[in-house]
Amino acid sequence: MEIPTSQRIIAILWPSFLTACFATVLFFAVFDPLELLSATAFGDTSRLGAYTIGFFLFWVLAAVSSALTCYFLRPTAGR
Amino acid sequence: MNDQLSSSSLGDIEPELYAKRQKVYPREVHGVFAFLRTTAVMVLLGIFYGVPWLRWDGRQAMLFDLPTRKFYVFGLSFWPQDFFYLTGLLIVAALSLFFFTALAGRLWCGYACPQTVWTEVFLWIERKIEGDRPRQIKLDKSPLSTQKILIKGSKHTIWIMFSLWTGFTFVGYFTPILELGHKVLTLATGPWETFWILFYGFATYGNAGWLREQVCIYMCPYARFQSAMFDKDTMTVSYDPSRGEPRGSRKRGSDYRALGLGDCIDCNICVQVCPTGIDIRNGLQYQCIGCASCIDACDDVMNKMNYPKGLIRYTTEHTIEGKPTRVLRPRVLIYAVLLAGTFIGVLYGIAHRIPVALDVIRDRNSLFRETNLGLIENVYTLKILNKDNSTTSYKLWATGIAGLQLLLDQEIIEVSSGQVSEIPTRLQADPVDLQHRSTDIEFHIQSLDDETISATEKARFLGPLGLSK
């Protein structure tokens, strides 16, 4: 049964989006981005900027995981 | 045998799950439940679009101020340290969902879910511009023409404007909306604000304009585990097959019972009004969002036929089977007790919140030093966070070692509302009173006006090596 590409993309991006929302709230409730970044080269990033970048990093990470799950679920040719 | 079973049942489910989408044109519906839903939409959207404009004490009443990491909810202000309460509220929300679902099915989906609420508005705009269901279908089938481009173009323009306003309101919860409005009018919004207005606007436009029921069917986790919360005593939108079957068309006023027919005239209107495009007569399905449009539509038809209402109605599986229904069953009672308990706990916690927080940081540069008088001195930085709504004065002291002295650079510790004050502090103790190299001590802080506002924080006092035992 072939799954249409659009639904495959939704199945990868959507769960990772939910996870990223959750992770962003949890992470930034504990860590203040200004304190985290002050010692690094990204010291002049604003909090709003850091939240946004953080959210997308979480999304990408989770999407990679979803994509790998999707990939490994495919039947192999046996060779 | 197992293999055979699973492959055949999968074969049934999968084409349905992954079939190419047929566009659903929900037919307009009037009735009790449509009225309830419209009311819910107006109230909820009124709250969403209105609340950011409310003021409280000279500031925005509801503001999740991300840039300064402070949450204002009317008279209360919350800090990242208060994350605990947010967790509590989320648990309350989850338990409410379980409770109401067990009681009366997907009330949330039918009346309150943002997906339903915004889709309802988008459908309304679509109907105003493109006309009713048959006109929409005709327009979509017609070849490309100036007329078609004009109609479709104005629909999308209004959708996009409404979505951008939604995105603007959303960002207005996180950054002061008055300033944001001013920035938008002068085209001076910052890059992140611009991005989030567009992102949220795009999400609204995509979800409510294009994806619609697909969000519920393919993207919503709640729909998939509804059966775990349902039982045979749950009120759901159901068709009564014992009354309706065998369905069939008939002339008005004909003696349909003599013809061997049930009450269902097979007019298919229940299917046409369904926003997810299912046939409720096939029984409970995970695609059903419990919007009760089919109830309104069918009642209307039953009225016209002079049949009693309620061929499709809110009822339980037990009632349909002719068995008694129990509303107060263990599942409902357990959810109710958990819900009430958590809710009261969160309320109590917020009401008895201690509006001061104390953090102690040891000076990292020196472990200790010896004063001219031979006393051992440790240096700390105290961070005092005043979570109260007014400026407060505090007294500070330390315990844990006999004769421990606390020295401050300033006489009174005064912290204004919502501020963090960093206070350099020195503690001095006589070496004869020290038993170990490291002694556990405690800092105490208390408001001068209200003794109940106090906090305690543990720290360590270090002494010379010779004290080691």
PDB file of all heavy atoms in Angstrom, chain B residues 403-434:
ATOM      1  N   GLY B 403      26.500  32.385  66.511  1.00  0.00           N
ATOM      2  CA  GLY B 403      27.112  33.697  66.369  1.00  0.00           C
ATOM      3  C   GLY B 403      27.400  34.110  64.946  1.00  0.00           C
ATOM      4  O   GLY B 403      28.287  34.936  64.701  1.00  0.00           O
ATOM      5  N   LEU B 404      26.691  33.529  64.013  1.00  0.00           N
ATOM      6  CA  LEU B 404      26.895  33.871  62.601  1.00  0.00           C
ATOM      7  C   LEU B 404      26.411  35.292  62.341  1.00  0.00           C
ATOM      8  O   LEU B 404      25.320  35.666  62.715  1.00  0.00           O
ATOM      9  CB  LEU B 404      26.105  32.873  61.739  1.00  0.00           C
ATOM     10  CG  LEU B 404      26.338  32.929  60.230  1.00  0.00           C
ATOM     11  CD1 LEU B 404      27.765  32.558  59.878  1.00  0.00           C
ATOM     12  CD2 LEU B 404      25.383  31.982  59.527  1.00  0.00           C
ATOM     13  N   GLN B 405      27.290  36.095  61.711  1.00  0.00           N
ATOM     14  CA  GLN B 405      26.918  37.486  61.461  1.00  0.00           C
ATOM     15  C   GLN B 405      26.735  37.732  59.975  1.00  0.00           C
ATOM     16  O   GLN B 405      27.519  37.248  59.164  1.00  0.00           O
ATOM     17  CB  GLN B 405      28.036  38.411  61.944  1.00  0.00           C
ATOM     18  CG  GLN B 405      28.071  38.576  63.420  1.00  0.00           C
ATOM     19  CD  GLN B 405      29.128  39.613  63.763  1.00  0.00           C
ATOM     20  OE1 GLN B 405      29.061  40.758  63.338  1.00  0.00           O
ATOM     21  NE2 GLN B 405      30.125  39.196  64.533  1.00  0.00           N
ATOM     22  N   LEU B 406      25.706  38.509  59.660  1.00  0.00           N
ATOM     23  CA  LEU B 406      25.422  38.812  58.264  1.00  0.00           C
ATOM     24  C   LEU B 406      25.699  40.285  58.025  1.00  0.00           C
ATOM     25  O   LEU B 406      25.186  41.146  58.727  1.00  0.00           O
ATOM     26  CB  LEU B 406      23.966  38.444  57.965  1.00  0.00           C
ATOM     27  CG  LEU B 406      23.500  38.573  56.525  1.00  0.00           C
ATOM     28  CD1 LEU B 406      22.616  37.395  56.171  1.00  0.00           C
ATOM     29  CD2 LEU B 406      22.754  39.852  56.299  1.00  0.00           C
ATOM     30  N   LEU B 407      26.560  40.584  57.050  1.00  0.00           N
ATOM     31  CA  LEU B 407      26.902  41.981  56.764  1.00  0.00           C
ATOM     32  C   LEU B 407      26.460  42.350  55.365  1.00  0.00           C
ATOM     33  O   LEU B 407      26.719  41.628  54.404  1.00  0.00           O
ATOM     34  CB  LEU B 407      28.414  42.171  56.883  1.00  0.00           C
ATOM     35  CG  LEU B 407      28.932  41.934  58.301  1.00  0.00           C
ATOM     36  CD1 LEU B 407      30.136  41.042  58.268  1.00  0.00           C
ATOM     37  CD2 LEU B 407      29.246  43.245  58.964  1.00  0.00           C
ATOM     38  N   LEU B 408      25.759  43.479  55.283  1.00  0.00           N
ATOM     39  CA  LEU B 408      25.249  43.942  53.988  1.00  0.00           C
ATOM     40  C   LEU B 408      25.831  45.299  53.660  1.00  0.00           C
ATOM     41  O   LEU B 408      26.209  46.055  54.548  1.00  0.00           O
ATOM     42  CB  LEU B 408      23.725  44.074  54.042  1.00  0.00           C
ATOM     43  CG  LEU B 408      22.908  42.800  54.173  1.00  0.00           C
ATOM     44  CD1 LEU B 408      21.460  43.150  54.398  1.00  0.00           C
ATOM     45  CD2 LEU B 408      23.062  41.960  52.930  1.00  0.00           C
ATOM     46  N   ASP B 409      25.902  45.618  52.393  1.00  0.00           N
ATOM     47  CA  ASP B 409      26.372  46.931  51.995  1.00  0.00           C
ATOM     48  C   ASP B 409      25.286  47.986  52.177  1.00  0.00           C
ATOM     49  O   ASP B 409      25.545  49.161  52.221  1.00  0.00           O
ATOM     50  CB  ASP B 409      26.827  46.911  50.529  1.00  0.00           C
ATOM     51  CG  ASP B 409      28.064  46.040  50.360  1.00  0.00           C
ATOM     52  OD1 ASP B 409      28.707  45.763  51.395  1.00  0.00           O
ATOM     53  OD2 ASP B 409      28.366  45.625  49.232  1.00  0.00           O
ATOM     54  N   GLN B 410      24.035  47.526  52.219  1.00  0.00           N
ATOM     55  CA  GLN B 410      22.951  48.480  52.358  1.00  0.00           C
ATOM     56  C   GLN B 410      22.107  48.126  53.577  1.00  0.00           C
ATOM     57  O   GLN B 410      22.062  46.967  53.992  1.00  0.00           O
ATOM     58  CB  GLN B 410      22.097  48.515  51.091  1.00  0.00           C
ATOM     59  CG  GLN B 410      21.425  47.185  50.774  1.00  0.00           C
ATOM     60  CD  GLN B 410      21.331  46.961  49.281  1.00  0.00           C
ATOM     61  OE1 GLN B 410      22.272  46.505  48.633  1.00  0.00           O
ATOM     62  NE2 GLN B 410      20.178  47.265  48.727  1.00  0.00           N
ATOM     63  N   GLU B 411      21.426  49.134  54.121  1.00  0.00           N
ATOM     64  CA  GLU B 411      20.670  48.944  55.354  1.00  0.00           C
ATOM     65  C   GLU B 411      19.370  48.178  55.102  1.00  0.00           C
ATOM     66  O   GLU B 411      19.112  47.149  55.712  1.00  0.00           O
ATOM     67  CB  GLU B 411      20.356  50.309  55.984  1.00  0.00           C
ATOM     68  CG  GLU B 411      21.533  50.907  56.728  1.00  0.00           C
ATOM     69  CD  GLU B 411      21.925  50.088  57.959  1.00  0.00           C
ATOM     70  OE1 GLU B 411      21.040  49.881  58.814  1.00  0.00           O
ATOM     71  OE2 GLU B 411      23.087  49.642  58.054  1.00  0.00           O
ATOM     72  N   ILE B 412      18.575  48.707  54.189  1.00  0.00           N
ATOM     73  CA  ILE B 412      17.258  48.111  53.923  1.00  0.00           C
ATOM     74  C   ILE B 412      17.281  47.436  52.569  1.00  0.00           C
ATOM     75  O   ILE B 412      17.847  47.969  51.609  1.00  0.00           O
ATOM     76  CB  ILE B 412      16.150  49.191  53.922  1.00  0.00           C
ATOM     77  CG1 ILE B 412      16.218  49.995  55.211  1.00  0.00           C
ATOM     78  CG2 ILE B 412      14.775  48.575  53.731  1.00  0.00           C
ATOM     79  CD1 ILE B 412      15.416  51.274  55.168  1.00  0.00           C
ATOM     80  N   ILE B 413      16.686  46.273  52.490  1.00  0.00           N
ATOM     81  CA  ILE B 413      16.559  45.615  51.196  1.00  0.00           C
ATOM     82  C   ILE B 413      15.187  45.923  50.659  1.00  0.00           C
ATOM     83  O   ILE B 413      14.179  45.499  51.224  1.00  0.00           O
ATOM     84  CB  ILE B 413      16.731  44.095  51.331  1.00  0.00           C
ATOM     85  CG1 ILE B 413      18.051  43.799  52.027  1.00  0.00           C
ATOM     86  CG2 ILE B 413      16.674  43.425  49.983  1.00  0.00           C
ATOM     87  CD1 ILE B 413      18.141  42.412  52.552  1.00  0.00           C
ATOM     88  N   GLU B 414      15.158  46.696  49.598  1.00  0.00           N
ATOM     89  CA  GLU B 414      13.879  47.069  49.016  1.00  0.00           C
ATOM     90  C   GLU B 414      13.880  46.631  47.561  1.00  0.00           C
ATOM     91  O   GLU B 414      14.797  46.966  46.818  1.00  0.00           O
ATOM     92  CB  GLU B 414      13.690  48.581  49.109  1.00  0.00           C
ATOM     93  CG  GLU B 414      12.260  49.012  48.950  1.00  0.00           C
ATOM     94  CD  GLU B 414      12.131  50.529  49.066  1.00  0.00           C
ATOM     95  OE1 GLU B 414      12.565  51.231  48.142  1.00  0.00           O
ATOM     96  OE2 GLU B 414      11.593  50.987  50.084  1.00  0.00           O
ATOM     97  N   VAL B 415      12.887  45.856  47.182  1.00  0.00           N
ATOM     98  CA  VAL B 415      12.813  45.388  45.803  1.00  0.00           C
ATOM     99  C   VAL B 415      11.487  45.834  45.228  1.00  0.00           C
ATOM    100  O   VAL B 415      10.435  45.606  45.831  1.00  0.00           O
ATOM    101  CB  VAL B 415      12.924  43.846  45.734  1.00  0.00           C
ATOM    102  CG1 VAL B 415      13.038  43.402  44.277  1.00  0.00           C
ATOM    103  CG2 VAL B 415      14.112  43.345  46.535  1.00  0.00           C
ATOM    104  N   SER B 416      11.530  46.479  44.061  1.00  0.00           N
ATOM    105  CA  SER B 416      10.268  46.923  43.475  1.00  0.00           C
ATOM    106  C   SER B 416       9.584  45.757  42.764  1.00  0.00           C
ATOM    107  O   SER B 416      10.206  44.731  42.470  1.00  0.00           O
ATOM    108  CB  SER B 416      10.479  48.108  42.540  1.00  0.00           C
ATOM    109  OG  SER B 416      11.576  47.873  41.705  1.00  0.00           O
ATOM    110  N   SER B 417       8.310  45.954  42.495  1.00  0.00           N
ATOM    111  CA  SER B 417       7.461  44.887  41.961  1.00  0.00           C
ATOM    112  C   SER B 417       8.041  44.287  40.691  1.00  0.00           C
ATOM    113  O   SER B 417       8.419  44.995  39.772  1.00  0.00           O
ATOM    114  CB  SER B 417       6.085  45.462  41.681  1.00  0.00           C
ATOM    115  OG  SER B 417       5.339  44.565  40.905  1.00  0.00           O
ATOM    116  N   GLY B 418       8.100  42.969  40.663  1.00  0.00           N
ATOM    117  CA  GLY B 418       8.524  42.278  39.455  1.00  0.00           C
ATOM    118  C   GLY B 418       9.997  42.398  39.145  1.00  0.00           C
ATOM    119  O   GLY B 418      10.431  42.098  38.054  1.00  0.00           O
ATOM    120  N   GLN B 419      10.790  42.849  40.117  1.00  0.00           N
ATOM    121  CA  GLN B 419      12.217  43.019  39.855  1.00  0.00           C
ATOM    122  C   GLN B 419      13.047  41.976  40.599  1.00  0.00           C
ATOM    123  O   GLN B 419      12.619  41.401  41.592  1.00  0.00           O
ATOM    124  CB  GLN B 419      12.671  44.413  40.302  1.00  0.00           C
ATOM    125  CG  GLN B 419      12.038  45.545  39.516  1.00  0.00           C
ATOM    126  CD  GLN B 419      12.397  45.486  38.045  1.00  0.00           C
ATOM    127  OE1 GLN B 419      13.560  45.315  37.683  1.00  0.00           O
ATOM    128  NE2 GLN B 419      11.397  45.597  37.195  1.00  0.00           N
ATOM    129  N   VAL B 420      14.245  41.763  40.102  1.00  0.00           N
ATOM    130  CA  VAL B 420      15.211  40.915  40.779  1.00  0.00           C
ATOM    131  C   VAL B 420      16.309  41.825  41.311  1.00  0.00           C
ATOM    132  O   VAL B 420      16.859  42.628  40.577  1.00  0.00           O
ATOM    133  CB  VAL B 420      15.848  39.896  39.819  1.00  0.00           C
ATOM    134  CG1 VAL B 420      16.779  38.973  40.567  1.00  0.00           C
ATOM    135  CG2 VAL B 420      14.782  39.110  39.097  1.00  0.00           C
ATOM    136  N   SER B 421      16.587  41.701  42.611  1.00  0.00           N
ATOM    137  CA  SER B 421      17.641  42.506  43.188  1.00  0.00           C
ATOM    138  C   SER B 421      18.810  41.598  43.547  1.00  0.00           C
ATOM    139  O   SER B 421      18.621  40.548  44.152  1.00  0.00           O
ATOM    140  CB  SER B 421      17.097  43.187  44.447  1.00  0.00           C
ATOM    141  OG  SER B 421      17.755  44.378  44.668  1.00  0.00           O
ATOM    142  N   GLU B 422      20.013  41.992  43.141  1.00  0.00           N
ATOM    143  CA  GLU B 422      21.192  41.191  43.501  1.00  0.00           C
ATOM    144  C   GLU B 422      21.888  41.869  44.665  1.00  0.00           C
ATOM    145  O   GLU B 422      22.305  43.020  44.557  1.00  0.00           O
ATOM    146  CB  GLU B 422      22.134  41.085  42.295  1.00  0.00           C
ATOM    147  CG  GLU B 422      21.514  40.296  41.177  1.00  0.00           C
ATOM    148  CD  GLU B 422      22.536  39.832  40.142  1.00  0.00           C
ATOM    149  OE1 GLU B 422      23.748  40.046  40.363  1.00  0.00           O
ATOM    150  OE2 GLU B 422      22.110  39.260  39.139  1.00  0.00           O
ATOM    151  N   ILE B 423      22.012  41.155  45.779  1.00  0.00           N
ATOM    152  CA  ILE B 423      22.555  41.749  46.992  1.00  0.00           C
ATOM    153  C   ILE B 423      23.863  41.041  47.354  1.00  0.00           C
ATOM    154  O   ILE B 423      23.845  39.863  47.711  1.00  0.00           O
ATOM    155  CB  ILE B 423      21.570  41.579  48.168  1.00  0.00           C
ATOM    156  CG1 ILE B 423      20.146  41.899  47.716  1.00  0.00           C
ATOM    157  CG2 ILE B 423      22.029  42.368  49.375  1.00  0.00           C
ATOM    158  CD1 ILE B 423      19.682  43.268  47.995  1.00  0.00           C
ATOM    159  N   PRO B 424      25.003  41.739  47.293  1.00  0.00           N
ATOM    160  CA  PRO B 424      26.253  41.134  47.766  1.00  0.00           C
ATOM    161  C   PRO B 424      26.195  41.017  49.297  1.00  0.00           C
ATOM    162  O   PRO B 424      25.819  41.967  49.971  1.00  0.00           O
ATOM    163  CB  PRO B 424      27.321  42.147  47.340  1.00  0.00           C
ATOM    164  CG  PRO B 424      26.621  43.179  46.520  1.00  0.00           C
ATOM    165  CD  PRO B 424      25.177  43.117  46.849  1.00  0.00           C
ATOM    166  N   THR B 425      26.512  39.847  49.807  1.00  0.00           N
ATOM    167  CA  THR B 425      26.344  39.582  51.236  1.00  0.00           C
ATOM    168  C   THR B 425      27.589  38.905  51.777  1.00  0.00           C
ATOM    169  O   THR B 425      28.178  38.048  51.113  1.00  0.00           O
ATOM    170  CB  THR B 425      25.141  38.632  51.450  1.00  0.00           C
ATOM    171  OG1 THR B 425      24.052  39.120  50.709  1.00  0.00           O
ATOM    172  CG2 THR B 425      24.775  38.525  52.904  1.00  0.00           C
ATOM    173  N   ARG B 426      27.999  39.298  52.988  1.00  0.00           N
ATOM    174  CA  ARG B 426      29.133  38.639  53.628  1.00  0.00           C
ATOM    175  C   ARG B 426      28.653  37.989  54.917  1.00  0.00           C
ATOM    176  O   ARG B 426      27.868  38.572  55.666  1.00  0.00           O
ATOM    177  CB  ARG B 426      30.236  39.651  53.939  1.00  0.00           C
ATOM    178  CG  ARG B 426      30.948  40.135  52.678  1.00  0.00           C
ATOM    179  CD  ARG B 426      31.899  41.259  52.982  1.00  0.00           C
ATOM    180  NE  ARG B 426      31.209  42.459  53.406  1.00  0.00           N
ATOM    181  CZ  ARG B 426      31.703  43.330  54.295  1.00  0.00           C
ATOM    182  NH1 ARG B 426      32.872  43.133  54.862  1.00  0.00           N
ATOM    183  NH2 ARG B 426      31.013  44.406  54.620  1.00  0.00           N
ATOM    184  N   LEU B 427      29.126  36.776  55.167  1.00  0.00           N
ATOM    185  CA  LEU B 427      28.821  36.102  56.424  1.00  0.00           C
ATOM    186  C   LEU B 427      30.122  35.928  57.177  1.00  0.00           C
ATOM    187  O   LEU B 427      31.137  35.534  56.602  1.00  0.00           O
ATOM    188  CB  LEU B 427      28.205  34.723  56.172  1.00  0.00           C
ATOM    189  CG  LEU B 427      26.760  34.656  55.694  1.00  0.00           C
ATOM    190  CD1 LEU B 427      26.310  33.192  55.656  1.00  0.00           C
ATOM    191  CD2 LEU B 427      25.838  35.466  56.591  1.00  0.00           C
ATOM    192  N   GLN B 428      30.097  36.209  58.486  1.00  0.00           N
ATOM    193  CA  GLN B 428      31.306  36.043  59.298  1.00  0.00           C
ATOM    194  C   GLN B 428      31.004  35.140  60.479  1.00  0.00           C
ATOM    195  O   GLN B 428      29.963  35.248  61.117  1.00  0.00           O
ATOM    196  CB  GLN B 428      31.785  37.404  59.794  1.00  0.00           C
ATOM    197  CG  GLN B 428      32.285  38.290  58.653  1.00  0.00           C
ATOM    198  CD  GLN B 428      32.826  39.604  59.132  1.00  0.00           C
ATOM    199  OE1 GLN B 428      32.650  39.979  60.292  1.00  0.00           O
ATOM    200  NE2 GLN B 428      33.492  40.328  58.239  1.00  0.00           N
ATOM    201  N   ALA B 429      31.971  34.244  60.752  1.00  0.00           N
ATOM    202  CA  ALA B 429      31.819  33.352  61.902  1.00  0.00           C
ATOM    203  C   ALA B 429      33.167  33.183  62.579  1.00  0.00           C
ATOM    204  O   ALA B 429      34.221  33.270  61.935  1.00  0.00           O
ATOM    205  CB  ALA B 429      31.286  32.001  61.443  1.00  0.00           C
ATOM    206  N   ASP B 430      33.118  32.950  63.867  1.00  0.00           N
ATOM    207  CA  ASP B 430      34.341  32.708  64.633  1.00  0.00           C
ATOM    208  C   ASP B 430      34.810  31.279  64.363  1.00  0.00           C
ATOM    209  O   ASP B 430      33.999  30.353  64.415  1.00  0.00           O
ATOM    210  CB  ASP B 430      34.033  32.885  66.135  1.00  0.00           C
ATOM    211  CG  ASP B 430      35.320  33.069  66.931  1.00  0.00           C
ATOM    212  OD1 ASP B 430      36.291  32.326  66.643  1.00  0.00           O
ATOM    213  OD2 ASP B 430      35.341  33.950  67.803  1.00  0.00           O
ATOM    214  N   PRO B 431      36.124  31.066  64.057  1.00  0.00           N
ATOM    215  CA  PRO B 431      36.589  29.707  63.753  1.00  0.00           C
ATOM    216  C   PRO B 431      36.272  28.706  64.859  1.00  0.00           C
ATOM    217  O   PRO B 431      36.078  27.521  64.574  1.00  0.00           O
ATOM    218  CB  PRO B 431      38.094  29.863  63.570  1.00  0.00           C
ATOM    219  CG  PRO B 431      38.360  31.310  63.429  1.00  0.00           C
ATOM    220  CD  PRO B 431      37.186  32.070  63.941  1.00  0.00           C
ATOM    221  N   VAL B 432      36.188  29.155  66.114  1.00  0.00           N
ATOM    222  CA  VAL B 432      35.918  28.194  67.193  1.00  0.00           C
ATOM    223  C   VAL B 432      34.515  27.607  67.089  1.00  0.00           C
ATOM    224  O   VAL B 432      34.232  26.537  67.621  1.00  0.00           O
ATOM    225  CB  VAL B 432      36.103  28.831  68.600  1.00  0.00           C
ATOM    226  CG1 VAL B 432      37.540  29.226  68.834  1.00  0.00           C
ATOM    227  CG2 VAL B 432      35.176  30.021  68.785  1.00  0.00           C
ATOM    228  N   ASP B 433      33.644  28.317  66.387  1.00  0.00           N
ATOM    229  CA  ASP B 433      32.272  27.811  66.249  1.00  0.00           C
ATOM    230  C   ASP B 433      32.115  26.863  65.062  1.00  0.00           C
ATOM    231  O   ASP B 433      31.061  26.278  64.853  1.00  0.00           O
ATOM    232  CB  ASP B 433      31.292  28.984  66.056  1.00  0.00           C
ATOM    233  CG  ASP B 433      31.219  29.859  67.291  1.00  0.00           C
ATOM    234  OD1 ASP B 433      31.267  29.272  68.389  1.00  0.00           O
ATOM    235  OD2 ASP B 433      31.146  31.086  67.148  1.00  0.00           O
ATOM    236  N   LEU B 434      33.192  26.740  64.256  1.00  0.00           N
ATOM    237  CA  LEU B 434      33.099  25.893  63.072  1.00  0.00           C
ATOM    238  C   LEU B 434      33.567  24.489  63.391  1.00  0.00           C
ATOM    239  O   LEU B 434      34.652  24.284  63.908  1.00  0.00           O
ATOM    240  CB  LEU B 434      33.948  26.470  61.929  1.00  0.00           C
ATOM    241  CG  LEU B 434      33.501  27.834  61.385  1.00  0.00           C
ATOM    242  CD1 LEU B 434      34.517  28.356  60.380  1.00  0.00           C
ATOM    243  CD2 LEU B 434      32.134  27.719  60.753  1.00  0.00           C
TER     244      LEU B 434
END
